[in-house]
Amino acid sequence: MSNPPGSPKKNSHSDHINESYANLPTVSRRLSLIILIGIVVGIIEYLITSLLSYFLQLRFDFVQQQVDKGDMQFLAILYILPAMTLVASVVSYLSPISAGSALPEIKGYLNGAHIPGIFGVTCLIVKAIGVTIAISCGFPVGREGPMVQVGCAVANQTMKIPFWKRALIKDTGVTGGRKEVEAEEIDKEKTLLLTIGGAAGISAAFRSPIGGVLYMMEDMASYWNHETTVRAFGCTMTATLVYSLLLDASHNKNYEALILFEDIDHKDWLTADIPWFMILAVFTGCLSVCYSELLFFFQHLRKTRTRFRSPMEKTIEVTICSFVICMVPLYIGSLFGCKELPADMKVDDHWGGLARFECEVGSYNDMASLWLMGEEGGIKELYSRDESKTNVFSVETLALFIVVFLLLGGFTGGLAIPFGTFVPNLFMGAAFGRMFALIVQEDNFIGVKGLSSPGTYALIGAGSMLGGYTRMTLTVVIMIAEASGDISIVMPLMVAVQISRWVANFLTEAYDHKMMELRRIPFLHDTVDKSRRNQSAGDVMIPTQPLNRRECLKKLRTIIEQDNLMRSAYPIVDNEGYLLGLVHGLVLESVLIQGFEDDENDEDMLPMEAMADPSPFTVFNTFPLSKLFPLFRKLQVEHVVVLSSKGKPIGYIPRTCLVDHDGGEVETNHHKAMSHLDMTGTARNIRRQSTGSNAPQCVPPGSPGTKPANGFESGELYDDHLDASANLRKLTSWLSPGKIRTPSKEYIERDSTTSSQGARDTAVSLHDLADRHAEEESRLTVKRVKARRDSFSGFQL
């Protein structure tokens, strides 16, 4: 069949090979980058597991030795309090963004909101070591959630290596507005690679490569395509493979209690179990809501309090809370008596199994075992389907354990320590599922016969609890089935997870969404709010006066003084008023700073097309707002030009107009890329094309005004990042005296306890100080100070 006239000819097989060969260097770099991220994430997860194996065994031995000696368990905290105090100090002073799981912040970042320091080297180190120490000290937290941030940080740092950076940044020599388009594509590529890194982190922790891809796709990522699926699968496969190979090569270490869902004795569930699974899902959905609400309560309490906000006070708070969290379980274990071991079981001196605690040889303490065996080891014991282990844990023990673990787990919310919430959910869900099965099946309670083992109910309870907490469905089912190797459990698990999710959605909003609102993280949702469904593009657009093909320098300078450049964009029109392109406000400012700052001739006429994007997105003013949200979200659009019924531009809609946030302006990743865009070549080209003395007289559209302040009014995350950076510089200077220069004036420090107005006043005073010394500085330094000033004063997240 011949091609239609004027259509390009189809490539032959040889043309396809030639094209593939030409693209081989770029493809090879990208492939090697994906593999490198997976390898590094797998190695980091193995190192964390090795440290946990050593520290948990040390803690188990220390507690047992103190008990055998007859000493008070109070001595068991001699090494816990200093360790947690150190972790809290490092987090509070050097990396506040490392506290908690940081999943809401990552979700906002992948949606487009720029959050400083979230994937830095300091955050990577503090997160990995901090969560390891927290788990080792007995905190009711997990490492799986923080591994998402670790994976993203590894991807972010790997992309900065020059060899792989070339796979993202192509030196095409393009100038003008096309540079902005190229920067947008690079920003999208970075976002996708960060998403892939997060998938590698969660997949290595659960040893579930498919589950890691689905988790990022279903819950975290706002932008996804087919290529991302393929690349993420390759990265998660590499990370899981490397982690598994390293574990298999370490035969002399005890990792069994740190690996979830392995060595299932047998797989069983019956049709008669389905109604009970559904009832269990209702209860676990309610339990997940209790946990998320309690966790959010303490997060909100510590976030909104007016006292105890300094790093020192946060460190002292962690020390006090560590005493409570680590001592309560030990004393609760002392309240329970000893139980005889089943005939084919034994208690040894390794953590991860049943603990003897205060009992004689041949017996065990079931409550102390739940606390000392570790969360992963406890989960494996709870879902065990061995008939000899049916009554290892009594109903009373499980009930009290769930209540205490729930209270202590919620109490950790907002503390200055890294922690995750996935494993605590699985632990509580498994305990509740096993308790539910014992109540239903034992003669002392309901006494239903012919049902599956309590271990099956524990597995269903763990999955439904996690589904109700995260509001995910497919990811939870695949992750648990993949990690446990029990494919037969998929169908009842799907039913339980869906019911649990329905119950949790009915009772409260998702925890991550509430945390994003609490921390004022901007987020662009999939759909428009009900109150705005009848609006159109013309209702939300920002009216603007288009710029001509050539504009005088005086008018452009007036524009950047008056307008909010963080969200502004200027349509370029021809003589008849039809659209020719779009200029981003930050690009316009960058051109003027890098090429025309010292130009005293305000009458020069500049060609605007040289710095414009020639193919912006456009909609008519009657375009429904419900269709505009998917356009911005799925295509990662930053600006849309609004046209009248005659096809002429009458305004524009920035992405930040649709973002859900509370007050102030929003700096996105796109803004960050634009602020760092080098427009020197473009400015030089425009300067050559300017008309100079032949320029007609131009009149600015109004008197100069004051450039409004941008950024969030709260500014907490931004302030914490600046304070942490300053503390890190001080620490480095103290460790290396005489080698570190004094911080430059261009870096604007702000106290996290000051108000936004006070911060702006501080920034203005620093700028005035820099201006007074401008005569002693070179012109290049002055430009760098001004550029840095605009970059930092334009963002207060």
Side-chain angles (χ1 to χ4, degrees), residues 135-210:
I135 296 174
S136 303
C137 291
F139 271 64
V141 299
R143 74 182 190 276
E144 283 71 14
M147 280 304 298
V148 177
Q149 187 175 10
V150 171
C152 292
V154 169
N156 183 58
Q157 298 304 319
T158 306
M159 286 185 290
K160 296 180 180 180
I161 301 176
F163 177 80
W164 287 284
K165 190 175 182 180
R166 297 171 189 169
L168 305 177
I169 303 176
K170 302 177 182 178
D171 188 11
T172 58
V174 178
T175 58
R178 297 182 184 179
K179 259 192 173 182
E180 179 185 352
V181 177
E182 184 177 331
E184 291 177 359
E185 295 300 323
I186 294 173
D187 181 62
K188 293 179 182 179
E189 182 70 16
K190 288 182 178 180
T191 301
L192 294 179
L193 284 174
L194 291 173
T195 305
I196 292 171
I202 191 70
S203 65
F206 277 103
R207 301 181 78 178
S208 173
I210 299 177

Side-chain angles (χ1 to χ4, degrees), residues 279-450:
I279 297 175
L280 173 62
V282 174
F283 283 112
T284 52
C286 297
L287 183 62
S288 67
V289 169
C290 293
Y291 177 64
S292 63
E293 288 296 309
L294 189 62
L295 195 64
F296 179 76
F297 170 78
F298 284 102
Q299 290 271 11
H300 185 272
L301 181 65
R302 293 183 171 113
K303 170 72 167 58
T304 57
R305 63 189 176 187
T306 56
R307 301 181 62 184
F308 304 104
R309 298 179 60 88
S310 68
M312 178 60 70
E313 292 168 338
K314 291 180 180 179
T315 302
I316 296 175
E317 180 186 24
V318 171
T319 303
I320 297 175
C321 293
S322 299
F323 179 83
V324 176
I325 293 175
C326 298
M327 289 306 304
V328 167
L330 297 179
Y331 280 100
I332 291 179
S334 301
L335 302 178
F336 283 72
C338 301
K339 300 176 65 175
E340 292 187 4
L341 283 170
D344 57 344
M345 293 184 64
K346 64 178 182 178
V347 175
D348 53 30
D349 294 330
H350 291 286
W351 61 273
L354 299 177
R356 183 166 52 86
F357 201 55
E358 297 176 338
C359 304
E360 300 294 334
V361 178
S363 58
Y364 71 99
N365 186 311
D366 55 351
M367 176 60 77
S369 297
L370 286 172
W371 292 102
L372 293 178
M373 68 174 54
E375 294 175 358
E376 286 89 345
I379 293 172
K380 292 177 68 175
E381 286 293 333
L382 289 169
Y383 79 69
S384 174
R385 306 178 193 184
D386 190 348
E387 293 182 359
S388 63
K389 298 182 179 180
T390 300
N391 296 314
V392 168
F393 303 104
S394 64
V395 173
E396 296 78 8
T397 299
L398 293 173
L400 181 59
F401 169 77
I402 292 171
V403 173
V404 176
F405 192 92
L406 176 69
L407 295 176
L408 295 181
F411 187 59
T412 60
L415 291 178
I417 60 171
F419 65 87
T421 55
F422 280 22
V423 172
N425 273 280
L426 292 173
F427 201 7
M428 285 187 288
F432 190 88
R434 193 172 189 90
M435 181 189 69
F436 178 83
L438 293 176
I439 293 175
V440 172
Q441 298 180 26
E442 285 192 356
D443 295 334
N444 296 334
F445 298 97
I446 300 178
V448 179
K449 302 299 182 181

Side-chain angles (χ1 to χ4, degrees), residues 734-746:
W734 180 74
L735 294 176
S736 303
K739 298 181 180 180
I740 305 299
R741 293 184 178 180
T742 304
S744 173
K745 295 189 296 295
E746 62 181 278

Side-chain angles (χ1 to χ4, degrees), residues 112-116 522 566 586 655-656 665-673 675-676 710-712 718 790-792 794-797:
H114 179 72
I115 300 175
M566 291 294 295
L586 293 176
R655 181 179 183 275
T656 52
E665 291 300 332
V666 181
E667 183 185 34
T668 65
N669 294 324
H670 175 267
H671 294 147
K672 198 70 176 178
S675 63
H676 290 134
N710 303 318
F712 278 113
Y718 173 77
D790 294 337
S791 174
F792 278 109
F795 176 45
Q796 300 174 1
L797 183 56

Side-chain angles (χ1 to χ4, degrees), residues 397-684:
T397 299
L398 293 173
L400 181 59
F401 169 77
I402 292 171
V403 173
V404 176
F405 192 92
L406 176 69
L407 295 176
L408 295 181
F411 187 59
T412 60
L415 291 178
I417 60 171
F419 65 87
T421 55
F422 280 22
V423 172
N425 273 280
L426 292 173
F427 201 7
M428 285 187 288
F432 190 88
R434 193 172 189 90
M435 181 189 69
F436 178 83
L438 293 176
I439 293 175
V440 172
Q441 298 180 26
E442 285 192 356
D443 295 334
N444 296 334
F445 298 97
I446 300 178
V448 179
K449 302 299 182 181
L451 299 180
S452 298
S453 66
T456 303
Y457 281 81
L459 189 60
I460 296 295
S464 58
M465 177 82 177
L466 184 60
Y469 176 79
T470 61
R471 314 299 165 88
M472 296 185 298
T473 53
L474 182 62
T475 300
V476 174
V477 173
I478 296 299
M479 190 175 292
I480 291 181
E482 193 175 15
S484 65
D486 188 357
I487 304 300
S488 66
I489 205 69
V490 168
M491 198 281 287
L493 189 59
M494 291 175 64
V495 175
V497 169
Q498 187 65 272
I499 292 177
S500 176
R501 182 178 181 273
W502 284 339
V503 172
N505 276 334
F506 177 78
L507 295 177
T508 184
E509 189 181 2
Y511 170 77
D512 284 348
H513 292 171
K514 293 194 295 184
M515 284 302 303
M516 294 177 70
E517 295 176 0
L518 177 64
R519 300 188 180 184
R520 306 178 70 179
I521 299 172
F523 191 79
L524 181 64
H525 294 282
D526 288 318
T527 57
V528 65
D529 188 75
K530 293 181 180 180
S531 60
R532 307 174 67 186
R533 286 182 178 177
N534 296 327
Q535 293 183 344
S536 62
D539 298 325
V540 298
M541 74 173 187
I542 299 178
T544 184
Q545 183 66 32
L547 300 178
N548 298 316
R549 283 185 170 181
R550 307 183 74 85
E551 289 288 354
C552 67
L553 184 59
K554 185 176 183 179
K555 178 179 178 180
L556 297 178
R557 285 175 173 168
T558 303
I559 287 176
I560 66 172
E561 290 178 357
Q562 292 179 332
D563 290 354
N564 185 349
L565 299 180
M566 291 294 295
R567 63 190 297 177
S568 61
Y570 305 99
I572 309 300
V573 297
D574 57 14
N575 296 333
E576 297 180 359
Y578 291 102
L579 184 66
L580 295 176
L582 187 71
V583 175
H584 195 289
L586 293 176
V587 172
L588 177 60
E589 182 188 39
S590 179
V591 170
L592 296 183
I593 289 178
Q594 298 181 29
F596 295 89
E597 189 179 32
D598 56 347
D599 195 337
E600 298 180 356
N601 187 5
D602 288 341
E603 308 305 323
D604 285 348
M605 299 293 291
L606 308 185
M608 302 303 299
E609 289 180 279
M611 67 182 84
D613 177 6
S615 55
F617 287 88
T618 59
V619 296
F620 284 97
N621 58 346
T622 57
F623 194 78
L625 198 61
S626 58
K627 295 182 179 180
L628 198 60
F629 269 75
L631 175 65
F632 275 92
R633 182 178 170 93
K634 301 301 180 183
L635 299 181
Q636 295 180 263
V637 177
E638 290 295 330
H639 292 90
V640 166
V641 180
V642 181
L643 306 178
S644 65
S645 57
K646 297 181 180 180
K648 297 183 178 180
I650 56 176
Y652 68 95
I653 301 176
R655 181 179 183 275
T656 52
C657 273
L658 307 181
V659 168
D660 183 14
H661 65 96
D662 184 16
E665 291 300 332
V666 181
E667 183 185 34
T668 65
N669 294 324
H670 175 267
H671 294 147
K672 198 70 176 178
M674 294 299 102
S675 63
H676 290 134
L677 197 60
D678 185 9
M679 301 297 290
T680 305
T682 302
R684 190 183 304 113

Side-chain angles (χ1 to χ4, degrees), residues 104-122:
E105 288 84 353
I106 298 174
K107 194 171 184 179
Y109 191 99
L110 297 180
N111 188 259
H114 179 72
I115 300 175
I118 188 172
F119 301 134
V121 177
T122 304

